[in-house]
Amino acid sequence: MAALLNLVQGAPTIDIYLDGLDSRKTARFNDKQQGFIKLPVYQGDDDISGVVDLKMNKNKKIEHLGIRIELIGRIEILNDQKQSSDFMSMGRELEAQGILMEDKTYKFQFNKFEKQYESYYGKEVKLRYYLRVTMNRNYGQVKKEVEFAVQIVEQDQDDQPQTSLKLEVGIEDCLHIDFEYFKSRYHLRDVVTGKVNFYLVKIKIKHMELAVIRKEQIGQGTTQQTENDILVKYELMDGCPQKGEVVPIRLFLSGIDMSPTLKNVSGKFSVKYILNLILVDEDDRKYFKQQEITVYRKK
């Protein structure tokens, strides 16, 4: 009924315009539902402000029950909307109940709003921030939403001591190698460096690869769901190595679509990153070893 009345009368339209977009950094996300989107980024103590334009269209007057703007942070589990929920909500009243006789413009501002979590758009879950303006009417609502992104800089990660990661792969009397990553924590523009040492090689290896895997974990305990996504696969070596050979590892993260590591976000989900070293022999058998790393954002 509300949609029919809006169609007959000509529903008012609402637009939201954010301040300072010309000079504000943007970030690109791959939204499973919308495709690639570009959003303005807010960090640290940033305020968010702007104006709301309300157009009467062909209406001479509009009776309403109030007009309100909200800033909302929401986690959406894409395959189970019952598990989706808001983790923050702030509101401002733009206009009390009454009658509009002309187009209106409202200024709004949310000062230093809480930025608890980083925006994330994954395969099965997304964490998004948006502004929503709602005009309540006797027979329905008129709404408008605008999304934006939050990024969290973890500068203190640079000050923490690094530890190298060492792992062994072995098959008795056939293969013995160890590999080392020189760091355990990497910023989003960092370079993964390390080396692979071959101590015993009695199987014919065709090639060796290094893959970066993103692991989304949704839920807790026995009901937890895991979604693995190979972000990049890089060939480290082609051909069979000799005993005593050392193969260097060098992988640039800056060109990979990654977020920071996210741990138990609001009890809903986590995002982890895994380095997967893979050896493939002439019979296409694969030998691999996985190592979790921490990824963070720096200025």
Side-chain angles (χ1 to χ4, degrees), residues 188 212 231-232 251-259 273:
L188 290 166
V212 179
L231 302 180
V232 69
L251 176 64
F252 291 85
L253 299 181
S254 58
I256 306 173
D257 181 19
M258 301 175 73
S259 72
Y273 290 94

Side-chain angles (χ1 to χ4, degrees), residues 169-183:
V169 176
I171 302 172
E172 190 173 357
D173 297 329
C174 292
L175 179 70
H176 180 204
I177 68 172
D178 69 28
F179 59 95
E180 179 180 6
Y181 303 113
F182 297 149
K183 297 194 297 184

Side-chain angles (χ1 to χ4, degrees), residues 56 60-67 95-102 104 106:
M56 299 284 288
K60 292 183 179 180
K61 70 174 184 177
I62 296 175
E63 296 183 17
H64 64 89
L65 303 176
I67 304 170
E95 180 106 23
Q97 178 178 352
I99 300 174
L100 293 179
M101 306 297 293
E102 60 184 0
K104 295 289 290 285
Y106 308 94

